[in-house]
Amino acid sequence: MSELQPSSLYIHIPFCRTKCHYCDFSSYSGLEALYEPYVSAVSGEMAQWAAEWPTLEWQTIYIGGGTPSVLTPEQVARLLAGCGASWRVAESAEITQEANPGTINSAQLVALRRLGITRLSLGVQSLDDGLLRLLGRIHTAQEAVDTFRLARQAGYDNINLDLMYGLPGQSLAQWQETLRAALALRPDHLSLYALTLHEETPLTRQIACGVLPAPDDDMAAEMYTWARRELRAQGWLHYELSNWAARRESICRHNLTYWLDQPYLGIGAGAHSYVGRRRFWNVTQPDVYIQRITAGERPVAGAERLDAATEMAEMMMLGLRLIEGVSYRRFRQRFGCDLREIYATELDALARYGLIIIGTEWVRLTERGYLLGNEVFARFLPA
């Protein structure tokens, strides 16, 4: 099996103004004093890895979080300068930054665009003020719309909107209104995610105590199905279970790295990496991360080496999220065997249940399989 070098870089910014009620990501509020030393530490980690991999060239860079837009453009400039000082960045590189309405203004958007940010991902989540409050978002629907328009004025021609559905008490009509309002803005990309409840989050506790109704899985499925019909009618390209592009050029190249199960390097507190059959991850606490880098130590908290069976299973589970599915040719190129032989029993059962289509060049989910994806993916987990 060939071991590719990473060409996609993820930089994690673990800071937020406030923690959203549903979030269990590695992010923290009230740590403004750490912003400056953290940016310096990230550059330090880049230099550490550059000593081991000096010849990498990044085709995609993704600055995510948390809320990266709490950083100043000057701090983001230092992050990008660290990339350029340690490695090469391709001229055609896709460079994404996440931003939340309520944390970024026109001057910042212009400055970031001038720094070379080519793609902006806005964490809108809803265009219903009541649902935004339920989620603990700090912006209003109007502020989200205003931020999108300011981004267009700043010159961004590749803007993604993140939206959530399946929220407690959310009606189909509310979801339809949000999606239609988002489409009216003419974004370039949409990421539509069903709410996932995580333990120890305020939203989960409110539901457990009966303060809020539990999400309705059947309603969430109806919302997803309606969104697929609406977007198909308007000519959107559905290329991954939760992601649509207005045109092929606006497909998120960075996220394709994950779905195609290709290697990537993660930098920053809590960041994960996958290189050469090895997965490793950094310490999550920003202060500990800074201390490690300052002391000249690696910030890696743990690692695991994947065996062939796990790698094959992950390629199937991730690849089946893509609407085009998993290519027999790609699987054979990587593992030297035919996935139809390796997973003959699993594929036969899933096909009989109407969850997958076994084509001549690929295997992919059916329309029914889109709604039951987790049940499909579970079939490929190693025993």
Side-chain angles (χ1 to χ4, degrees), residues 72-319:
T72 65
E74 291 75 21
Q75 289 167 329
V76 175
R78 287 169 55 198
L79 294 177
L80 294 175
C83 292
S86 298
W87 300 288
R88 292 188 298 276
V89 178
E91 286 188 18
S92 60
E94 173 194 88
I95 304 178
T96 301
Q97 175 164 328
E98 293 180 347
N100 285 349
T103 66
I104 196 163
N105 58 36
S106 178
Q108 290 171 299
L109 287 164
V110 169
L112 291 171
R113 185 70 189 91
R114 289 174 177 168
L115 287 176
I117 302 297
T118 65
R119 183 175 182 274
L120 195 69
S121 183
L122 294 177
V124 172
Q125 312 312 349
S126 178
L127 290 173
D128 180 290
D129 284 333
L131 292 174
L132 287 169
R133 288 191 295 271
L134 179 147
L135 294 171
R137 306 295 288 182
I138 64 172
H139 67 270
T140 65
Q142 188 57 53
E143 286 172 331
V145 170
D146 292 343
T147 300
F148 178 90
R149 289 172 175 160
L150 289 173
R152 276 287 191 246
Q153 292 171 13
Y156 293 91
D157 58 7
N158 195 354
I159 304 176
N160 171 64
L161 299 182
D162 271 353
L163 299 174
M164 296 179 69
Y165 62 92
L167 307 178
Q170 184 184 29
S171 68
L172 178 61
Q174 284 176 305
W175 170 237
Q176 291 171 333
E177 185 176 348
T178 279
L179 186 55
R180 284 171 175 154
L183 289 171
L185 295 173
R186 301 178 68 83
D188 307 285
H189 191 280
L190 287 170
S191 296
L192 311 181
Y193 296 110
L195 172 68
T196 300
L197 292 177
H198 299 282
E199 293 183 7
E200 303 305 320
T201 62
L203 190 62
T204 299
R205 289 194 292 269
Q206 287 179 302
I207 292 170
C209 294
V211 175
L212 291 172
D216 184 330
D217 290 342
D218 290 337
M219 176 58 72
E222 189 175 350
M223 291 175 176
Y224 179 77
T225 300
W226 177 83
R228 290 194 66 245
R229 285 199 306 265
E230 183 73 9
L231 290 167
R232 182 168 54 231
Q234 296 199 29
W236 282 72
L237 173 63
H238 189 195
Y239 70 97
E240 191 272 344
L241 286 182
S242 301
N243 287 272
W244 286 258
R247 56 190 181 281
R248 185 161 295 278
E249 296 75 29
S250 55
I251 287 175
C252 182
R253 290 160 48 197
H254 183 88
N255 286 343
L256 277 179
T257 297
Y258 306 139
W259 298 318
L260 292 172
D261 199 31
Q262 295 173 342
Y264 55 88
L265 179 64
I267 298 287
H272 286 235
S273 301
Y274 173 49
V275 184
R277 302 186 66 181
R278 183 169 171 263
R279 183 180 291 113
F280 48 95
W281 51 92
N282 286 347
V283 295
T284 58
Q285 304 94 326
D287 57 339
V288 175
Y289 173 81
I290 293 167
Q291 291 165 11
R292 290 267 191 104
I293 299 296
T294 302
E297 301 172 358
R298 292 283 193 182
V300 175
E304 60 180 349
R305 189 162 184 83
L306 279 60
D307 59 25
T310 302
E311 279 202 294
M312 289 180 187
E314 292 197 352
M315 185 173 184
M316 294 300 297
M317 291 187 288
L318 291 166

Side-chain angles (χ1 to χ4, degrees), residues 297-371:
E297 301 172 358
R298 292 283 193 182
V300 175
E304 60 180 349
R305 189 162 184 83
L306 279 60
D307 59 25
T310 302
E311 279 202 294
M312 289 180 187
E314 292 197 352
M315 185 173 184
M316 294 300 297
M317 291 187 288
L318 291 166
L320 282 171
R321 292 192 61 88
L322 292 168
I323 303 306
E324 68 179 19
V326 181
S327 159
Y328 305 142
R329 180 182 56 81
R330 284 193 65 251
F331 193 95
R332 181 179 290 279
Q333 283 178 340
R334 180 167 175 182
F335 299 111
C337 54
D338 192 323
L339 71 85
R340 289 166 291 187
E341 297 175 2
I342 299 295
Y343 295 113
T345 301
E346 293 84 354
L347 295 177
D348 179 65
L350 291 169
R352 281 189 286 107
Y353 294 143
L355 297 176
I356 63 168
I357 295 173
I358 303 174
T360 57
E361 298 180 6
W362 39 251
V363 56
R364 63 176 178 83
L365 295 178
T366 62
E367 299 272 337
R368 183 167 181 257
Y370 296 162
L371 298 174

Side-chain angles (χ1 to χ4, degrees), residues 55-76:
T55 62
L56 299 183
E57 179 176 86
W58 301 120
Q59 302 297 323
T60 73
I61 299 172
Y62 195 106
I63 305 174
T67 308
S69 49
V70 300
L71 298 183
T72 65
E74 291 75 21
Q75 289 167 329
V76 175

